[in-house]
Structure formats: structure tokens, C-alpha cells
């Protein structure tokens, strides 16, 4: 997760009008009910994290933009997706004097005019391997994508997964992608789900606040964001885990999407902020301690992961993908 807070992104969502809401209504009675999402084995997600750790260890201890560890991470993810039947595209850009890459993976089928995107940044900071930030989100969406392939899911909406480069330098990869999309292609994206840090050791359970129901911060997301929030909240309610809203503050890759009016949502387990006593009572863990004490440090390794949080958030991702991709076109 980036420390950069681009000012133009913070309140962009509140100034946009005329954006079509994300369709979340149930299918007509004559249509079959959507399939339930599978339980995603956390062991599979952790196996990807171990691979990312090994890549970092073999490449100077990190997976940062412009470093060999990032490209090796991208090659690992791409190979898994290619083998599973995805149509992958590597998008190249240059920033901070180095070549960067985004990886896009399209699942064949679905309405090409109604695209649901799921993304996570793949780069680490230079100080460490970035296993929670953001190996966790990258591995969770990778295993969700592989579960889509195993199930041979045939969603109504077209599914596109993305692994972004250079997020830690200010959302450079996702911004490049959005800024270079023709307006007709932007209008096809009906929702963007972002997962940046979903295994913090002193974990919280935060859901991006699509309707600004907490009344503070950067305001609501574009029309449709509240529906995404509700789908994710419904999953956590179903497993009796309370959630809190987290603001669209521009710190992660949803920023470029909401700036052009694309509905967004996702989950987050916390970074350098400290868990309050009330949150510790609600979620367990340690009060007055950072959600992730290894945030942007060399100790962000495979030992810096809360397995329970990673498991729950990965299953929430799968639930959101299965539910939202089954929705009819807006």
C-alpha cells in the first residue's frame, strides 16, 4: 500500500455524475440461482506467498518496481494464469527511470460490455519482500482466479483480473492503465474490486465505505460502490465477523478508477495505524499496536501473515466475484 495520497483522487468520486450504478439485482425468477462461491483453501494462497518470498530472497530481498524481483513475481503469476486458460496481457510503462509492468488476465466469456475487474498491486517497497503488502492481496486474487478456472465459471459479466506495478510509487501502474483506456472501454467496466493487504498480523476487518456511511473522510464512491460494499459486508455477516468502513483516501489502486467514475470496493486488514481497544475487543489481537508492525519493512515476510484473516478475506473475495459477476448488465 502506497503512502502517497494524490489530492486529486481524494474527493473525485463526489464530483462525478451520470455514472451507471452497478447492477446487483437478483436474476429473474425463471433464471437459475447463481452458484455459490467455493471455499478457497488458505494453504493454496500461502503457497503463492512462499513463492513470492523465495523470489524476493533470490533477488536482493525485495520485489520492487524496476528490480528483478518484480518481473520474476509477474512471470510467476502469469504462468499460473496461462496454464489455467486465461488470456493474459502484459502492459509496459516507464516511471521513475525504470520499466514497469501491469499484468491483465481475462477469463473467456461473459458480457464484453459489462466488465468486473479485480485487482491488487504486485510490487513491494525496496526495503523488504512485501509479503503482506501486497503479496497477500496478489496471492488471494490469484487463487480466486484459479478457482474460477477450476469451476469453469460462466459469469454474466466478463471477468478481468489485474496485478499492478509501481503502486508503491504512487499508483503508477493502475493510473497508467486507466488513463490509457479509451472512454468507450472505461464505460464497460461496471465495478473494480481492490485488495491491498489482506493478511495483517494484528488484523482488522475493513470494507471500503462505498456510501460514506461513517460520515467522514473522502466521501462516497461513485454510484454502485455502496452495492459492492454491501455484497462484501453480507459475506462477513454470514460468518459472524463484524466489519468497519475504511475511506477511499487515495492510498491504493482503486484511486484511478473512482476518479473516472467507476464503482469500487474491497477489503483491507490495516497497515501502520494502531488497533483501538474497541477493535481489539471486537476482532481480537492487541490494542494500541499497529495492524502491521512490519509495514514497509524488511520483516514483511511469510512470518508476517495472519492465516485466519487471510483465509476469511480470500473467501470474501471469492464471494464478491461470484456474486457480482452473476449480476446482469447495468
Amino acid at each position: 500500500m502506497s503512502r502517497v495520497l494524490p489530492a486529486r483522487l481524494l474527493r473525485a468520486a463526489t464530483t462525478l455524475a451520470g455514472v451507471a450504478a452497478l447492477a446487483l439485482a437478483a436474476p429473474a425468477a425463471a433464471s437459475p440461482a447463481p452458484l455459490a462461491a467455493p471455499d478457497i483453501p488458505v494453504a493454496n494462497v500461502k503457497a503463492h506467498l512462499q513463492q513470492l518470498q523465495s523470489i524476493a530472497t533470490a533477488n536482493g530481498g525485495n520485489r520492487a518496481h524496476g528490480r528483478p524481483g518484480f518481473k520474476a513475481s509477474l512471470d510467476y503469476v502469469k504462468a499460473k494464469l496461462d496454464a489455467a486458460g486465461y488470456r493474459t496481457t502484459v502492459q509496459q510503462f516507464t516511471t521513475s527511470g525504470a520499466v514497469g509492468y501491469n499484468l491483465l488476465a481475462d477469463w473467456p466469456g461473459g458480457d464484453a460490455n459489462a466488465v468486473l475487474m479485480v485487482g491488487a498491486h504486485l510490487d513491494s517497497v525496496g526495503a523488504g519482500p512485501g509479503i503482506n503488502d501486497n503479496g497477500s492481496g496478489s496471492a488471494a486474487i490469484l487463487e480466486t482466479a484459479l478457482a474460477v478456472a477450476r469451476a469453469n465459471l460462466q459469469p454474466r459479466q466478463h471477468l478481468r483480473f489485474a496485478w499492478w506495478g509501481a503502486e508503491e510509487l504512487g499508483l503508477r501502474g493502475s493510473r497508467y492503465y486507466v488513463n490509457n483506456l479509451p472512454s468507450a472501454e472505461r464505460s464497460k467496466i461496471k465495478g473494480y474490486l481492490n485488495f491491498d493487504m489482506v493478511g495483517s498480523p494484528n488484523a482488522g476487518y475493513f470494507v471500503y465505505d462505498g456510501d460514506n456511511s461513517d460520515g467522514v473522510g473522502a466521501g462516497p464512491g461513485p454510484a454502485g460502490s455502496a452495492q459492492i460494499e454491501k455484497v462484501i459486508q453480507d459475506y462477513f455477516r454470514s460468518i459472524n465477523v463484524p466489519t468497519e468502513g475504511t475511506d477511499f483516501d487515495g492510498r491504493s489502486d482503486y484511486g484511478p478508477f473512482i476518479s473516472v467514475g467507476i464503482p469500487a470496493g474491497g477489503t483491507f486488514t490495516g497497515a501502520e495505524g494502531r488497533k483501538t481497544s474497541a477493535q481489539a475487543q471486537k476482532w481480537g489481537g492487541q490494542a494500541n499496536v499497529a495492524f502491521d508492525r512490519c509495514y514497509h519493512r524488511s520483516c514483511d515476510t511469510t512470518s508476517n501473515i495472519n492465516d485466519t484473516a487471510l483465509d476469511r478475506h480470500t473467501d470474501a473475495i471469492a464471494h464478491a466475484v461470484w456474486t457480482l459477476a452473476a449480476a446482469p448488465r447495468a
Side-chain angles (χ1 to χ4, degrees), residues 59-92:
N59 290 280
N62 67 67
R63 302 178 302 99
H65 167 72
R67 310 284 181 85
F70 178 78
K71 185 58 165 58
S73 299
L74 183 142
D75 291 343
Y76 169 77
V77 174
K78 183 177 185 300
K80 292 288 186 182
L81 296 163
D82 287 340
Y86 279 83
R87 185 171 63 251
T88 59
T89 304
V90 177
Q91 183 181 51
Q92 184 172 310

Side-chain angles (χ1 to χ4, degrees), residues 20 44 62-63 67 70 93 112 124 130-131 143 156 165 177 189 235 255 263 266-267 277 279 298 308 328 330:
N44 292 6
N62 67 67
R63 302 178 302 99
R67 310 284 181 85
F70 178 78
F93 59 94
S124 73
I131 299 304
E143 192 55 31
R156 291 188 180 187
Y177 173 78
I189 302 173
Y235 173 76
T267 68
S277 296
Q279 289 169 334
S298 61
T308 298

